[in-house]
Amino acid sequence: MPAPDAAASDAAALGAFLRSRRDGITPAQAGITAFPGPRRVPGLRKEELAMLAGVSADYYSRIEQGRQTAVSNEVLDALARALRLDEVERAHLRDLAAPPSRAGGGRIAPQQADASLLRLMTTLDAVPVMLLGERLEVLARNALLEAVLGPLPLGSSLARWVLLDPAARERLVEWERFAEYTVAALRRDIARHPRDARLRALVRQLRESDAQVDAWWNDHGVREYASAQKIIRHPIAGELRFGLEMVSPPLDPDQRLIVYTVEPGSATEALLPTIRAWGAEAADSAPAHDSAQPASRAQSMQSAAAGARRGAPECCSDDPEREHGVGDTGESGDVGARNVAAW
């Protein structure tokens, strides 16, 4: 079976995204009176969107059906305004409409971790840190990160861990939210790198492995990587609360250093040294050791967790009511805040 034409595939992706956004906005939300007659679509009709964007209905139909491979920036901007797209969605629309020559076939050689980010990692041993590359591959991570999240081998895909590994559902308190964000971030990446065969293979595998992942993908939601709040359910230490911050080098924006920050004086901050020591002991333990030792370590960790939470000041006690930082998904009115993803 021959491979589909690249330009036709891009045009089809552009049309599918526009259709999904058109279905999601009603005439009233778009600020117009609905055209008369029976409606067969939940949102705007093609003719209504074409009128809002100032183009002919036939021209817009060709775009949505994948028959108009070249679309001007002026038309894209007009469609974005008519559909009330936020900045992330606007950027995604432009990427989908960009000429195929803008992107190569994806990296062939193994990814190399950015040296400056690796140097920065060595100064951050007090908190969990990991370095992600293209396709959310784990390029580096410190021991504390694995003690908090569990094993993440170098070269593995964080997306595959989040979406398919049962451990992720156990560790991530808001697993469904992070899982949906991960799918939306992958969709954003695939528009940036449409010729990356390994990325497309990863997405195909994830969709085939889980019906919910496939449903999220078909929603055509897109998100950017950004800072966020994250709650981890540690099997021994209990609930841990982090703020996630991201750093990317200017010459390789596809690499992201993820730093799990903590509130000064919080119970989570007090627990991290114990978790780090516990993780080191667990890694060093041989099968021949006394089987009572793991239970003893667990009891010690649980006691430390209880003590840390009793001793944390009220202002820094990891109270969920205080979580209103960057990445909050509440109704803030900031359109950019809706479309962020973090790990």
Side-chain angles (χ1 to χ4, degrees):
M1 178 177 171
D5 175 74
S9 178
D10 285 350
L14 171 63
F17 178 67
L18 286 170
R19 173 63 188 267
S20 72
R21 302 305 92 174
R22 179 168 65 82
D23 284 348
I25 182 171
T26 66
Q29 290 171 330
I32 63 170
T33 300
F35 284 13
R39 305 190 68 81
R40 295 181 297 173
V41 295
L44 289 173
R45 293 175 174 172
K46 290 180 183 178
E47 297 82 4
E48 291 167 336
L49 178 53
M51 179 198 70
L52 282 167
V55 298
S56 71
D58 178 67
Y59 181 75
Y60 176 75
S61 291
R62 292 203 304 273
I63 297 174
E64 193 171 290
Q65 294 167 5
R67 297 185 291 115
Q68 182 70 38
T69 56
V71 184
S72 71
N73 288 332
E74 290 76 15
V75 170
L76 293 174
D77 289 341
L79 290 171
R81 286 193 299 271
L83 292 169
R84 307 293 178 92
L85 301 187
D86 63 28
E87 287 305 313
V88 176
E89 292 168 325
R90 286 170 180 260
H92 184 65
L93 180 66
R94 287 192 291 270
D95 281 341
L96 290 175
S101 61
R102 75 192 189 281
R107 188 191 305 265
I108 298 176
Q111 297 184 66
Q112 297 297 318
D114 182 83
S116 63
L117 294 184
L118 289 177
R119 288 193 295 270
L120 181 57
M121 282 188 68
T122 64
T123 70
L124 298 171
D125 280 346
V127 293
V129 187
M130 64 177 161
L131 177 58
L132 300 177
E134 295 174 4
R135 299 173 290 275
L136 297 182
E137 289 181 9
V138 179
L139 302 183
R141 74 276 185 268
N142 63 8
L144 186 52
L145 185 284
E146 288 202 302
V148 167
L149 287 186
L152 281 171
L154 295 181
S156 64
S157 168
L158 188 68
R160 187 179 283 109
W161 180 80
V162 170
L163 296 172
L164 301 184
D165 194 326
R169 294 175 184 253
E170 296 171 3
R171 297 282 176 117
L172 301 180
V173 170
E174 296 181 276
W175 173 83
E176 186 167 335
R177 179 167 71 96
F178 280 98
E180 185 177 1
Y181 286 6
T182 298
V183 173
L186 286 173
R187 178 173 281 286
R188 184 74 188 92
D189 276 349
I190 214 165
R192 289 190 180 101
H193 306 291
R195 304 296 172 264
D196 189 335
R198 292 176 60 189
L199 176 58
R200 289 189 173 276
L202 171 64
V203 169
R204 183 169 58 251
Q205 180 200 32
L206 294 173
R207 294 177 63 189
E208 291 173 350
S209 299
D210 190 287
Q212 183 59 69
V213 172
D214 188 56
W216 284 327
W217 185 264
N218 288 328
D219 282 343
H220 290 269
V222 289
R223 293 184 180 271
E224 285 287 8
Y225 304 96
S227 304
Q229 301 291 323
K230 192 171 193 176
I231 307 174
I232 304 297
R233 187 186 297 109
H234 194 274
I236 298 175
E239 198 170 272
L240 305 171
R241 295 175 179 272
F242 298 96
L244 271 61
E245 302 298 335
M246 300 194 180
V247 180
S248 291
L251 298 181
D252 194 352
D254 286 321
Q255 291 198 27
R256 305 172 185 91
L257 186 68
I258 317 297
V259 183
Y260 283 57
T261 63
V262 292
E263 186 75 20
S266 66
T268 298
E269 181 188 51
L271 276 170
L272 286 182
T274 305
I275 295 172
R276 182 168 55 247
W278 173 81
E281 290 177 12
D284 291 341
S285 295
H289 283 188
D290 185 349
S291 61
Q293 286 187 7
S296 176
R297 283 197 304 271
Q299 292 169 359
S300 175
M301 173 75 80
Q302 290 164 349
S303 297
R309 290 189 169 84
R310 284 196 302 270
E314 183 178 352
C315 69
C316 305
S317 59
D318 292 342
D319 183 355
E321 295 298 323
R322 300 184 66 252
E323 290 190 10
H324 300 293
V326 177
D328 184 3
T329 57
E331 295 296 330
S332 64
D334 178 0
V335 294
R338 298 201 311 267
N339 285 344
V340 297
W343 295 272

